[in-house]
Amino acid sequence: MMDIRVELTKTPKEKPTDHTKLGFGDIFTDHMFLMNYKKGKGWYDPRIVPYGPLQLDPAAMILHYAQEVFEGMKAYCCEDGMIRLFRPQENFKRLNASNSHVCIPPVDEELVLEGLKKLIEIEKDWVPTAENTSLYIRPFIIATDAHLGVRPSNEYLFVIILSPVGAYYKEGLNPVKIYVETNYVRAVRGGLGMCKTSGNYAASLKAQVVANEQNYTQVLWLDGVERKYIEEVGTMNVFFRIGDEIVTPELRGSILPGITRKSTVELLRHWGYNVSERLISIQEVADAAKDGKLIEAFGTGTAAVISPIGHMKWGDVIMDINNGEIGEISQKLYDTITGIQWGKIEDPFGWTVDVCKK
Ligand code: COI
C-alpha cells in the first residue's frame, strides 16, 4: 500500500465549544486528505494536509460537465471513548460503483479507508461528544483536467473533508413534512439516479425550494417515467409500514442504494418483520392512509439517520401519519442504529470499525 504523507497545520482553528448547537455542514476541521490521479500513472501521492481552498484551472472539467462522485459517512465518539465508523467499507464500495457510472477510475478501497482513519486520528479532538452529534465525513472526487471537449477527464482529485455535526433536519427526531413532487423529476432508470453524483442534487433544488416555500421539509420523488411509483427523498430512502408489511422501493437503478437503508432492511428482517423491497405506488400509500392502514412512514440516511414522516401532501391528497408522532418501528430502529453507532448497545453484526481512542 502507498505511504500516506502528513503535513500538519501551523495555525489550528478554534473548535466549537458548545456541541449542542452544531447544525449540519458549516464547520470544517484543520486537515483534509488528498490524492491525485493521472492517466497512465494511476492514483498517486495520498496525503493529509492543512484544510484550505483547492486550486483549480477555470477549464477544470468538474466545473463544466459535473464529472464528480461523493460519499457521506460519520465517525462517532462512543461511550467507551473509542471513535468508530459505521460500515465504512460499504461507502467506499459504493463510491467505486458511482465511479464506474461516470467514468472515474476506481480507488483502492483499503487505502482510502486507511487515509480516512489516519485523518480522523489527527482530528480526533474535533469529534463532538454531545448526544446526537458526530463527525460527518465527505469523501469526493472531481475531474481536474483543463479541457472543454466532452469526454472523461484524464486527471482527478480525491478529497476527504470532515465536519462536526448535529441533526440534519431542524426537526431532529420529530416527524418531518414531505411534499410529493408531481412536476419535476430527479432521475430516470438508465440515468445516474443510483449514483452519488452532484448532478442528482442539482436536479433536486428547484422542487425543494418550491416545497420549502409551502413549509414542507423535503420532496418525495416519484419515478421519472410514469410519475406513479415512489423513489426516494433526495437526502434519504423511504419506508412505509402498511398493515403488517414494511415496504421500501426496490433498487431499480434510479434511486440511491443507501447504507442506512440496507442496515434497516437487515435489522427488520433480523427482528422477524415482513419487509418487502418492491414497487410501491403513491396511490397505494394514499389508499392505505385513507383506509387507516398506513401505520408509519420514515426516511433513512447517513445524515438524516432515521427520520419519521408525520405528514405528506400529494396534490390535493393530504396524509397525516401516526398523528404526526414518531412510530414504534421508527423509534426502535433509531434507538438500535444509533445505539450501535454510539456504542451504547452491542454490535452483533460487526458493523462498526474502531479508529482510535478520543
Ligand atoms: C448523507 O446522508 O450522507 C448524504 O450524503 C445526503 C445528503 C446530505 C446529500
Side-chain angles (χ1 to χ4, degrees):
M1 203 188 290
M2 276 183 281
D3 272 349
I4 300 167
R5 167 166 83 77
V6 177
E7 181 197 332
L8 296 180
T9 182
K10 295 193 178 67
T11 52
K13 292 180 274 202
E14 290 263 328
K15 296 182 184 65
T17 44
D18 187 355
H19 292 173
T20 59
K21 299 228 160 48
L22 292 170
F24 184 88
D26 293 318
I27 301 166
F28 301 97
T29 69
D30 285 322
H31 299 88
M32 59 186 175
F33 176 91
L34 298 179
M35 181 165 68
N36 294 83
Y37 176 93
K38 210 182 193 103
K39 196 172 176 178
K41 183 169 177 179
W43 288 103
Y44 65 96
D45 198 12
R47 59 204 184 273
I48 292 169
V49 295
Y51 182 97
L54 303 173
Q55 218 180 14
L56 282 182
D57 192 293
M61 295 184 82
I62 173 60
L63 302 175
H64 304 274
Y65 308 122
Q67 195 192 6
E68 188 260 8
V69 293
F70 72 96
E71 270 303 320
M73 357 179 15
K74 281 175 174 171
Y76 308 84
C77 184
C78 297
E79 296 211 324
D80 61 358
M82 181 62 80
I83 297 171
R84 293 192 176 90
L85 292 161
F86 185 73
R87 311 188 82 175
Q89 299 91 340
E90 294 286 334
N91 288 89
F92 289 127
K93 198 165 108 190
R94 187 174 65 183
L95 183 78
N96 271 338
S98 296
N99 276 338
S100 91
H101 289 292
V102 293
C103 303
I104 296 178
V107 294
D108 175 342
E109 293 169 26
E110 262 178 63
L111 172 74
V112 292
L113 179 55
E114 216 31 60
L116 171 60
K117 286 185 181 173
K118 207 164 174 162
L119 177 64
I120 296 172
E121 201 167 342
I122 290 170
E123 304 291 54
K124 64 182 180 175
D125 292 341
W126 284 89
V127 183
T129 48
E131 186 134 15
N132 299 336
T133 61
S134 55
L135 187 70
Y136 188 74
I137 301 160
R138 175 51 61 86
F140 62 100
I141 303 177
I142 55 172
T144 52
D145 225 6
H147 178 74
L148 292 184
V150 179
R151 59 150 170 81
S153 181
N154 290 323
E155 293 179 17
Y156 298 91
L157 182 66
F158 176 99
V159 187
I160 306 177
I161 54 173
L162 306 175
S163 172
V165 298
Y168 186 76
Y169 297 125
K170 67 172 179 1
E171 288 89 340
L173 197 54
N174 293 320
V176 292
K177 286 173 71 182
I178 299 285
Y179 183 93
V180 182
E181 179 56 54
T182 52
N183 188 21
Y184 304 105
V185 299
R186 170 186 174 272
V188 288
R189 272 188 294 155
L192 293 175
M194 77 311 248
C195 183
K196 216 158 169 56
T197 187
S198 49
N200 289 331
Y201 297 81
S204 76
L205 296 177
K206 181 78 181 167
Q208 188 179 314
V209 168
V210 173
N212 290 162
E213 279 166 4
Q214 297 181 52
N215 208 17
Y216 283 81
T217 315
Q218 284 279 310
V219 166
L220 176 68
W221 297 103
L222 299 179
D223 78 273
V225 179
E226 296 180 76
R227 319 267 170 108
K228 190 171 159 190
Y229 296 104
I230 292 172
E231 298 245 298
E232 63 163 66
V233 177
T235 53
M236 46 189 200
N237 296 108
V238 277
F239 287 73
F240 300 94
R241 183 180 180 191
I242 299 177
D244 66 359
E245 186 190 15
I246 303 169
V247 191
T248 192
E250 66 181 339
L251 303 174
R252 291 199 299 166
S254 51
I255 66 174
L256 197 80
I259 289 147
T260 315
R261 174 192 182 280
K262 179 175 176 170
S263 307
T264 296
V265 169
E266 288 171 8
L267 260 178
L268 290 171
R269 294 210 167 118
H270 174 76
W271 287 331
Y273 287 103
N274 171 18
V275 188
S276 316
E277 296 175 74
R278 63 166 173 86
L279 279 181
I280 174 162
S281 67
I282 184 66
Q283 186 66 58
E284 179 182 344
V285 172
D287 290 346
K290 198 161 121 240
D291 299 343
K293 290 199 184 124
L294 180 59
I295 300 168
E296 57 185 296
F298 56 91
T300 63
T302 297
V305 198
I306 299 291
S307 183
I309 299 170
H311 175 103
M312 293 205 303
K313 175 178 154 58
W314 173 42
D316 297 336
V317 181
I318 299 290
M319 297 169 241
D320 281 308
I321 307 163
N322 199 37
N323 299 318
E325 283 165 25
I326 181 165
E328 175 201 338
I329 290 181
S330 314
Q331 185 73 57
K332 187 168 166 183
L333 282 165
Y334 181 86
D335 291 345
T336 307
I337 292 176
T338 61
I340 291 173
Q341 290 168 337
W342 277 297
K344 291 183 189 161
I345 60 174
E346 225 201 303
D347 168 19
F349 310 102
W351 283 344
T352 57
V353 171
D354 290 0
V355 178
C356 64
K357 279 273 183 188
K358 170 101 172 155

